Amino acid sequence: MMPCDDKTGSCAAEQAEGKAADWANAECMCITLDRQRLADLLDTQLGESGAGDTLLSSQSNLFANAPVFIAPDMLSAMTEVVAAIETVAKTPAFRSVVMGWAPSSAARDFGPKGALMGYDFHLTDNGPRLIEINTNAGGAFLNALLADAQTQCCRETRPALVAGISQDTFRPRIARMFEEEWHAQDRAGELECIAIVDDEPEEQPLFPEFLAARTLLQEHGYEVVIAGPEDLELSPAGLLFEARKIDLVYNRLVDFSLDRPESRTLQEAYLSDRVVLSPNPHIHALYADKRNLCLLSDPDWLASCGLSERETKVILDAVPKTAIVDRENAEQFWSERRDWFFKPARGYGSKAAYRGAKLTKRVWSEIAEGGYVAQRFTPPSTRKVRLENDTAELKVDVRLYTYGGEILLRAARLYQGQATNMRTPGGGFSPILPMPDAPDSGFR
């Protein structure tokens, strides 16, 4: 392995023929993040001088120093997967099945598409693999700032840096997204007040993102508050926070069906159409319940739901085989556990998710009781990064932030361990840079 020569601005190694992105992820260890610029951007968006330095020191592994390089055909393939999933989600056949196992609060479709969805991928030599879909995907506002804080890379990868960092349209598009969600629920008049809602928001690791979102939306003329669900009140006038009427809630709760006692006020406001909620229980049931992946990885079922041959192939190529774990198949899954990853059907953030190879019998006894899916294990790709006195090979997850199938932002997360985290030295959020392969190196 030959690291980049920082003095000359050039990587010492020759690029391997084809697979240029793979070469760059293994060999180019330039530090492209300008942390002082990022701190300055955070100061502006968090609304307080020194807030950026405080965040970067208190969460030192929130942002990676290095970008992740991806071939353009891989990016195009992920975009095509998103489009195909959006198509199947509109079919009556799909909706009938997934709403059959959804909670009652998800039954009604009020119209919104779901703000800032997250399609999470692992990258393989044979193309992207869709690991899961999230409806309250975090990190977009921070990743937009991260993208704007990149500096030039070595000579071989500098064109990718120049081509990949362009966030000029992100901020107005996000503001327009919330406006579209407002009107999608047949609201007349102007959207005025938005509440960003999460449990104990100031205690959340991504609370700075809430501040950045508030600043962005305030710059576009909206009044924005940050609140916990228990802070909301329901009146004949609508949903209130400190006597201020809330028009739209940007929902960051992981209580996806709004069933917990502290969410009941928000649930009542949502079900009685007295507030626009985005994302909402219907959208979560339609996209993010992991049992849905069982349908998307079943060739017989997909063949019956009216998709085109191309759409069917795109989905089957991308979605690893997924099945519901029950008592009838539990013994077989236990015997084959090294080949599978087990996740709660309505889980989030890798909570209670397990790599089969590391399962204990105690944990397996809980999984076998139900409520889990088994997904064929797909190892993530890797990115080699430079640490203070060493190097490390970190795993890569790629997230596409979307709205109604439109790609709003692309980002990666670098980590070690079983699942993504923001505690890995050298890891954290990382910008994605497109780097073309040689003409004969694509996976299609």
Side-chain angles (χ1 to χ4, degrees):
M1 188 274 302
M2 299 182 182
C4 294
D5 182 343
D6 290 335
K7 293 182 179 179
T8 64
S10 173
C11 280
E14 292 288 334
Q15 289 191 36
E17 291 186 10
K19 297 296 181 185
D22 291 344
W23 166 84
N25 286 327
E27 303 290 352
C28 175
M29 288 184 288
C30 296
I31 293 175
T32 61
L33 174 58
D34 183 338
R35 286 193 170 259
Q36 185 54 58
R37 169 149 177 78
L38 179 58
D40 293 341
L41 290 170
L42 288 166
D43 282 355
T44 300
Q45 296 306 305
L46 304 189
E48 182 180 346
S49 178
D53 286 330
T54 299
L55 176 61
L56 294 178
S57 61
S58 64
Q59 298 190 51
S60 58
N61 300 314
L62 184 59
F63 300 102
N65 285 326
V68 170
F69 298 96
I70 299 182
D73 59 351
M74 187 76 79
L75 293 171
S76 296
M78 286 188 283
T79 301
E80 192 173 9
V81 172
V82 171
I85 299 291
E86 293 286 338
T87 297
V88 75
K90 293 180 174 65
T91 64
F94 185 80
R95 287 174 175 256
S96 175
V97 176
V98 303
M99 289 303 157
W101 55 47
S104 59
S105 59
R108 183 175 173 185
D109 182 2
F110 286 92
K113 303 173 185 177
L116 285 169
M117 303 267 290
Y119 284 75
D120 291 352
F121 293 89
H122 286 176
L123 309 182
T124 77
D125 290 340
N126 297 313
R129 297 294 179 264
L130 179 67
I131 303 305
E132 62 186 33
I133 304 172
N134 295 286
T135 53
N136 63 348
F141 297 90
L142 296 179
N143 276 302
L145 298 177
L146 176 65
D148 285 338
Q150 302 297 308
T151 61
Q152 70 176 13
C153 196
C154 57
R155 182 169 60 241
E156 288 81 355
T157 58
R158 193 174 299 150
L161 183 74
V162 173
I165 301 302
S166 178
Q167 304 303 328
D168 293 343
T169 61
F170 176 78
R171 298 174 70 81
R173 183 64 188 95
I174 291 298
R176 193 165 70 251
M177 173 186 68
F178 285 105
E179 193 76 29
E180 290 176 20
E181 289 290 84
W182 168 251
H183 292 297
Q185 199 157 323
D186 295 327
R187 292 299 199 263
E190 297 296 323
L191 170 61
E192 296 180 359
C193 187
I194 298 172
I196 302 169
V197 174
D198 200 355
D199 291 314
E200 299 181 332
E202 294 187 11
E203 303 303 316
Q204 295 294 332
L206 290 183
F207 177 65
E209 176 172 57
F210 301 166
L211 298 177
R214 182 176 67 182
T215 298
L216 185 158
L217 293 169
Q218 286 175 336
E219 289 174 350
H220 285 82
Y222 303 109
E223 182 178 351
V224 184
V225 300
I226 300 172
E230 69 283 355
D231 300 325
L232 304 174
E233 299 179 19
L234 194 57
S235 77
L239 189 67
L240 306 179
F241 173 73
E242 296 181 347
R244 178 65 169 95
K245 184 176 181 297
I246 303 300
D247 296 321
L248 183 149
V249 169
Y250 173 32
N251 179 20
R252 294 295 294 262
L253 293 168
V254 295
D255 178 16
F256 303 116
S257 54
L258 305 177
D259 283 337
R260 295 186 315 198
E262 55 268 36
S263 303
R264 292 295 170 81
T265 297
L266 183 56
Q267 184 194 71
E268 185 178 350
Y270 164 66
L271 293 177
S272 62
D273 196 19
R274 282 187 274 181
V275 72
V276 175
L277 180 67
S278 181
N280 60 43
H282 180 80
I283 293 298
H284 181 272
L286 194 60
Y287 289 96
D289 190 310
K290 293 173 181 59
R291 289 170 292 191
N292 301 358
L293 299 172
C294 303
L295 302 178
L296 299 176
S297 62
D298 183 338
D300 293 333
W301 187 88
L302 278 178
S304 71
C305 73
L307 295 181
S308 71
E309 183 177 337
R310 176 63 185 176
E311 289 165 338
T312 300
K313 183 180 187 306
V314 165
I315 293 173
L316 290 175
D317 284 350
V319 180
K321 180 63 181 177
T322 308
I324 295 172
V325 178
D326 55 34
R327 292 185 177 183
E328 293 182 3
N329 60 24
E331 185 175 344
Q332 179 180 352
F333 276 123
W334 173 253
S335 66
E336 300 175 356
R337 63 190 180 279
R338 292 182 177 275
D339 298 327
W340 298 88
F341 204 96
F342 299 90
K343 303 178 180 182
R346 290 176 57 79
Y348 65 94
S350 302
K351 302 291 185 182
Y354 302 98
R355 169 80 189 278
K358 299 182 179 181
L359 272 177
T360 65
K361 285 192 173 182
R362 180 192 64 79
V363 171
W364 178 250
S365 66
E366 298 173 1
I367 293 174
E369 288 298 312
Y372 271 75
V373 300
Q375 183 180 73
R376 183 74 68 178
F377 177 63
T378 304
S381 59
T382 59
R383 171 70 162 113
K384 193 167 287 186
V385 301
R386 180 178 298 174
L387 305 180
E388 186 174 351
N389 297 310
D390 200 359
T391 60
E393 192 169 88
L394 305 184
K395 299 174 183 177
V396 177
D397 272 20
V398 173
R399 172 169 288 176
L400 302 187
Y401 295 94
T402 73
Y403 175 63
E406 176 188 356
I407 311 302
L408 303 177
L409 190 71
R410 307 177 303 225
R413 293 170 292 177
L414 302 181
Y415 64 101
Q416 287 179 330
Q418 179 172 275
T420 55
N421 57 67
M422 297 301 174
R423 299 183 297 274
T424 300
F429 290 127
S430 173
I432 286 176
L433 305 184
M435 191 168 190
D437 284 341
D440 63 347
S441 65
F443 48 81
R444 291 179 184 274

